[in-house]
Amino acid sequence: MPSSRRSRRRPYGEEHVPLDPDRLAGMTRSESGPDGGSYSVRQVRGSEKAYRCPGCDQLIEPGTVHVVAWQNDHILGARAGVEDRRHWHRACWQARGRRRPAR
């Protein structure tokens, strides 16, 4: 027998809220690198801190959308891979197979 309580998440009769693709961009995904390694990659909207991109050796200014990547199959284990994560410009991350890291 169904419950008589209505869901508080979306009241009856209210329209469905469409999925926001920008929120999906922040989810972690797995990618294979040109070196054959496995990487976890997450797009971030920006932060309050500046980071140096290892692809071009330029600063990623605070608030700039960029990519955070870490190696899944790090030689010292998964935790070391997360601790060794790097912040990349999106274009630099996509071009990493065509050029060597600046650092």
Side-chain angles (χ1 to χ4, degrees):
M1 183 167 169
S3 171
S4 62
R5 292 183 302 144
R6 290 188 179 164
S7 172
R8 292 185 201 151
R9 293 182 187 174
R10 183 169 51 109
Y12 182 78
E14 204 172 284
E15 282 199 37
H16 174 72
V17 178
L19 183 64
D20 182 9
D22 290 336
R23 287 186 65 198
L24 288 175
M27 295 179 66
T28 304
R29 63 186 185 277
S30 291
E31 289 186 17
S32 295
D35 58 355
S38 172
Y39 292 88
S40 289
V41 181
R42 179 181 297 165
Q43 181 177 322
V44 292
R45 292 184 180 184
S47 64
E48 298 175 7
K49 183 178 172 185
Y51 295 96
R52 186 155 307 270
C53 175
C56 65
D57 202 31
Q58 300 296 313
L59 281 180
I60 300 172
E61 296 296 329
T64 304
V65 177
H66 62 280
V67 171
V68 178
W70 61 94
Q71 196 171 4
N72 291 328
D73 49 0
H74 195 280
I75 193 166
L76 299 176
R79 185 174 180 167
V82 171
E83 291 173 358
D84 198 29
R85 67 187 178 272
R86 296 289 177 251
H87 295 252
W88 296 69
H89 291 108
R90 287 188 293 183
C92 294
W93 176 253
Q94 292 170 348
R96 71 191 184 284
R98 295 189 303 266
R99 60 181 183 198
R100 308 283 304 165
R103 288 185 169 214

